[in-house]
Amino acid sequence: MSKAIEKVGVLGAGLMGHGIAQVAAQAGYEVVLREVDEATLQKGLSKIEKQLARAVEKGKSSQEDADAVRARIHATVDYGELADRDLVIEAITESLPAKLEMWREIDQIVQPQAVFATNTSSLAVIDQATVTSRAGQFVGLHYFNPAQVMKLVEVVRCVTTTDQAFETALEFARSEGKLAIPTRDTAGFIVNRLLVPYTLDAIRAYEEGVGSIEEIDEAMKAGAGHPMGPLLLSDFVGLDTLGSICDVLFDEFRERRFARPPMLRKMLSAGWFGRKSGLGFYDYSGETPAENAAL
């Protein structure tokens, strides 16, 4: 029998965290959203408020409902306010040392019966579970960007996860209206295991002169029915995030298809992380994205 979830904590209000918090609040959960500082926290809250306002403008939500969702999100910089949460989801930077440090601290604060979940896109769930005192109550809940729109949540079971914790995570994701797909704790899970080599091959194709950035993207949209081309998708995910996932997959499998292409390494050295930094394969300084002329 799964555990009933009423109170949710979300760690990190960045690219993924603010969306995860909004989705939980929209499903009726009381959410505590925690960040390291007020500036980052307010930036995340602003994104949530803009999303809610846009839904009202488009007639997808009433102002009353939007206000109710916002009221269910309590923002804080204090870990202590997570003490009574039934489920805590981390969505901080994709760095194992940072995640481990955070879990060690949180584990001493949050009630012992709570379930912990990581939103990691590539790191092994077990590596995080074992630094807590509740490895049996630890799962992966991998949301996709933007969490408010993307239907899929990969629910990751590691070797220590109990049946009860896993069923709790599955039911929680389903209660949010998500498609909850169970998967094993292997590097990249399902989607990134298949998607990352595809995006890296697109980068290599561009390096080798197979087509321009826009030509590769448009070809894959028209020929494969994808809503977004692989190079624009890489910018959207974040080239820094893509690079981190590459490293995890390559370390696990030692196959060239998971290695960073030279162009990706150079772009990261230049600080070009995609849409979030304003430059990636595309330049986002204008009204619409245009090919990065420096490449």
Side-chain angles (χ1 to χ4, degrees), residues 198 217-228:
Y198 157 68
D217 277 353
E218 290 302 314
M220 290 309 299
K221 285 167 63 180
H226 293 183
M228 187 182 295

Side-chain angles (χ1 to χ4, degrees), residues 102-112 116 131-134:
M102 180 214 68
W103 283 126
R104 289 188 185 101
E105 190 163 355
I106 285 293
D107 190 41
Q108 300 173 49
I109 295 169
V110 180
Q111 58 176 328
F116 284 172
V131 301
T132 74
S133 63
R134 60 190 89 194

Side-chain angles (χ1 to χ4, degrees), residues 47-58:
K47 289 179 181 177
I48 292 172
E49 289 161 0
K50 286 178 182 176
Q51 288 277 352
L52 294 173
R54 191 173 298 127
V56 173
E57 288 170 14
K58 292 183 176 180

Side-chain angles (χ1 to χ4, degrees), residues 8-13 16-22 24 31-35 76 82 85 87-91:
V8 176
V10 178
L11 296 160
M16 293 304 302
H18 81 273
I20 293 170
Q22 182 182 330
V31 180
V32 168
L33 177 61
R34 192 267 176 185
E35 253 297 353
T76 184
L82 296 160
R85 300 294 96 180
L87 170 67
V88 176
I89 307 169
E90 75 79 20

